[in-house]
Amino acid sequence: MDVAGLKKCLEQHRQSHLLQFWDELSSDEQKALFDDLSSIDLDRVCQYFGKATTGLNEAQTKTDDRLEPVPEKVCGSTSRMNSAEHKELFDSGLRLIAEGKVAALLLAGGQGTRLGVPYPKGMYDVQLPSSKTLYQLQAERLLKLQQLAFKLTNQRGIIPWYIMTSEHTKEKTIRFFQDHSYFGLEAENVVVFEQQMLPCFTFDGKIILSDKHKVARAPDGNGGLYAALGASDVISDMRRRGVACMHVYCVDNILVKMADPVFVGFCHQRSADCGAKVVEKAFPTEAVGVVCQVDGHYEVVEYSEIALSTAERRRDDGRLTFNAGNICNHYFTTDFVEAVVKEYDSALQHHVAKKKIAFVNEQGTISTPTSPNGIKMEKFVFDVFQFSKQFAVLEVLREDEFAPLKNGPSAAKDSPAACRSSLLNLHYRWVLAAGGKFVDSEGSVLPLIPARSSSMPHTVDIDCEVSPLASYSGEGLEELCSSHIFTAPVHLVPGDVAGVQTSSSI
């Protein structure tokens, strides 16, 4: 070990403190720390820190004259499509799936810190009647899509599932899939790869130690996807399989429609190289990024970067001018992603995330802060929108497609209970639309929309779950539901009508 050379390098980068406990370490610990520090490109990470924090200190508000809403010509809306248009796009996407041209790419490298669990979010069970985890729900949706594509075309296409993990989530994710036999998918079609980790810094630019012999690191954000792809053989695997496009999404959205045929068909029909699903902002100050144009380039602008006067602007029809809420649900062609990896990733700037980071104090003990004490540097997956030559935006209904799991059980928003409620309510609407009806334990018909008031006894969500293997997005449920009466809890699975009280009509 060239300890003298390491000391000199650390001194040059103002990081000598990283060896402050060297003499207290065992030989094994010294080697571990030496290897850890030697693996860091200090020139590169210190440059990242400098650029990211310089940008943080500059004015963050985007001026009105630089922002423009997404042009109508690139936009579509599922709620404003007629049934024929919807079917055309759905079938178009299924045909691409049948030809093996569509992949799903899951961003699952983040830690579930706010959720309060020591394992990957995808392993979380929000207490559905089926007890299925996020990973299982997503796997079964892919299986159902492959079945639908085969039924339409008689071609057996595969949707390869690429899962980007991190040092914190990779091994647990792999074991979970192995223990559950990949939830019916072929192991060779579930490709797990790992994103890079970056050192965490104090606010004054010092790299943090998480232990006397270990540097504190964190995943480089979901925008670390492009560096991870460049360091792996994932794109080569896509090329080998004939994948032409991919749906990229975050793990925590319980309603996500992976490889959504409508979205894929919509973007393909418009020859888009890059696309975004959005939901309409609920109110001007809602804490959600907005898909828009800045200086003529497509971007996601964070709500904190938009002046209130701009956020409150409205169109002639009363809708917000900047209303395209980002839900991290994207379409990319393989060609576009490969170009980003080879040509543009190095130009993407890191963003600053102020976090509570456990550290070793001067006494050599591990301390857990109660308020943010350091910086994690992240890139965002949507930072590449600016490089798109043909962009597309599809607005979807929030209640159909967006319910993120971000916070623990005690939280009022984005909690396990909120996610559970969103999914059960969606499935309840599917069953009603397919001709089913619900009664309570005494046989009284439940209202179509249970009210939450003192005068109505039905003040909680109706436990109605539809297996993804029975329906991907509400289609094909008529045989299971039409003219059937259900008593909750209900869990519909293929070929079964669990919870049916009688087949008579009301």
Side-chain angles (χ1 to χ4, degrees):
M1 295 187 296
D2 182 9
V3 179
L6 177 61
K7 285 182 178 179
K8 182 177 180 180
C9 182
L10 292 174
E11 289 171 0
Q12 291 172 346
H13 293 87
R14 299 177 54 249
Q15 305 295 335
S16 298
H17 65 286
L18 294 172
L19 293 178
Q20 61 183 306
F21 302 109
W22 183 264
D23 293 337
E24 302 175 24
L25 303 179
S26 67
S27 57
D28 287 345
E29 289 173 334
Q30 286 181 342
K31 184 177 187 310
L33 180 58
F34 180 87
D35 291 344
D36 196 11
L37 295 176
S38 298
S39 70
I40 300 172
D41 184 338
L42 288 171
D43 282 335
R44 182 172 62 93
V45 297
C46 290
Q47 186 179 56
Y48 289 165
F49 176 84
K51 288 183 176 179
T53 52
T54 298
L56 185 67
N57 294 329
E58 294 173 351
Q60 291 295 298
T61 301
K62 309 283 187 181
T63 56
D64 287 2
D65 58 358
R66 295 179 60 204
L67 263 66
E68 292 291 340
V70 177
E72 290 291 334
K73 65 181 181 180
V74 306
C75 297
S77 170
T78 55
S79 64
R80 289 188 282 276
M81 289 178 191
N82 60 42
S83 57
E85 291 170 334
H86 187 277
K87 185 178 187 306
E88 179 184 353
L89 293 178
F90 192 82
D91 288 354
S92 173
L94 287 181
R95 290 189 184 94
L96 290 169
I97 289 170
E99 294 169 4
K101 293 182 177 180
V102 182
L105 198 156
L106 167 59
L107 305 172
Q111 300 165 260
T113 307
R114 281 193 287 167
L115 189 56
V117 295
Y119 50 81
K121 280 186 183 180
M123 294 166 56
Y124 199 90
D125 170 14
V126 300
Q127 302 301 307
L128 294 173
S130 67
S131 298
K132 291 178 181 177
T133 61
L134 298 182
Y135 278 150
Q136 183 170 357
L137 291 171
Q138 293 175 21
E140 291 183 354
R141 286 171 190 157
L142 291 179
L143 284 169
K144 184 60 179 179
L145 269 185
Q146 291 174 171
Q147 294 171 6
L148 291 172
F150 178 74
K151 183 178 179 180
L152 178 69
T153 66
N154 207 35
Q155 290 179 264
R156 202 170 295 281
I158 297 297
I159 306 170
W161 195 10
Y162 299 95
I163 303 177
M164 185 179 78
T165 60
S166 68
E167 176 183 295
H168 302 298
T169 64
K170 182 179 180 181
E171 294 306 318
K172 290 178 181 178
T173 294
I174 290 174
R175 280 201 309 272
F176 191 71
F177 275 90
Q178 290 173 340
D179 290 346
H180 293 85
S181 301
Y182 294 84
F183 302 105
L185 296 168
E186 295 293 332
E188 65 184 20
N189 297 323
V190 180
V191 180
V192 178
F193 63 107
E194 186 175 349
Q195 71 182 109
Q196 297 178 6
M197 305 284 285
L198 290 177
C200 301
F201 284 79
T202 61
F203 296 129
D204 60 355
K206 303 292 186 181
I207 293 175
I208 296 173
L209 286 174
S210 63
D211 206 332
K212 290 181 180 180
H213 61 283
K214 188 175 183 180
V215 171
R217 298 177 187 250
D220 54 353
N222 56 32
L225 168 66
Y226 309 108
L229 291 174
S232 69
D233 63 353
V234 168
I235 291 181
S236 296
D237 186 77
M238 290 180 177
R239 294 296 191 192
R240 178 181 62 80
R241 295 172 183 266
V243 170
C245 61
M246 65 197 78
H247 175 221
V248 178
Y249 68 99
C250 286
V251 68
D252 57 11
N253 180 9
I254 197 169
L255 301 184
V256 66
K257 293 181 178 179
M258 305 110 68
D260 176 15
V262 173
F263 186 37
V264 170
F266 174 80
C267 292
H268 180 74
Q269 186 183 75
R270 292 168 176 251
S271 300
D273 56 8
C274 180
K277 271 190 183 183
V278 300
V279 296
E280 185 167 7
K281 283 189 67 173
F283 49 90
T285 55
E286 183 182 9
V288 60
V290 174
V291 180
C292 60
Q293 286 187 310
V294 180
D295 298 331
H297 298 287
Y298 293 103
E299 287 189 21
V300 174
V301 177
E302 292 301 315
Y303 67 96
S304 59
E305 298 179 305
I306 301 177
L308 181 60
S309 58
T310 301
E312 291 179 336
R313 280 172 51 187
R314 293 187 180 272
R315 305 176 186 182
D316 292 340
D317 62 4
R319 299 172 68 205
L320 292 172
T321 299
F322 295 96
N323 67 355
N326 176 53
I327 59 173
C328 199
N329 209 306
H330 310 312
Y331 167 98
F332 300 123
T333 63
T334 308
D335 287 343
F336 177 79
V337 169
E338 189 167 26
V340 168
V341 171
K342 292 181 176 179
E343 302 173 31
Y344 304 127
D345 183 50
S346 60
L348 298 177
Q349 185 168 315
H350 287 84
H351 305 268
V352 166
K354 297 181 179 180
K355 300 286 186 177
K356 292 178 283 188
I357 303 167
F359 66 100
V360 176
N361 59 30
E362 292 181 356
Q363 289 71 44
T365 58
I366 298 175
S367 178
T368 302
T370 56
S371 60
N373 66 314
I375 286 172
K376 295 181 180 180
M377 296 182 295
E378 305 172 330
K379 290 181 180 179
F380 298 147
V381 68
F382 47 73
D383 286 341
V384 300
F385 286 1
Q386 61 184 300
F387 307 121
S388 174
K389 294 180 173 61
Q390 191 71 27
F391 197 64
V393 175
L394 182 64
E395 182 185 282
V396 298
L397 292 175
R398 186 186 300 244
E399 58 266 33
D400 287 354
E401 299 204 31
F402 186 54
L405 176 63
K406 295 188 178 298
N407 302 314
S410 62
K413 182 182 177 184
D414 299 339
S415 66
C419 287
R420 180 182 189 274
S421 176
S422 294
L423 188 70
L424 295 180
N425 285 336
L426 174 65
H427 290 181
Y428 176 61
R429 288 186 280 118
W430 285 1
V431 172
L432 293 179
K437 296 187 179 179
F438 286 79
V439 297
D440 61 19
S441 57
E442 298 179 355
S444 299
V445 179
L446 297 180
L448 297 183
I449 304 177
R452 294 183 181 274
S453 70
S454 58
S455 62
M456 295 294 292
H458 311 296
T459 58
V460 296
D461 300 315
I462 295 172
D463 281 1
C464 174
E465 182 183 356
V466 178
S467 168
L469 299 176
S471 182
Y472 173 80
S473 57
E475 79 295 327
L477 290 175
E478 289 76 14
E479 184 177 347
L480 293 178
C481 301
S482 183
S483 300
H484 286 298
I485 300 171
F486 298 90
T487 302
V490 172
H491 179 212
L492 289 181
V493 297
D496 183 32
V497 190
V500 174
Q501 193 178 62
T502 174
S503 60
S504 63
S505 300
I506 293 181

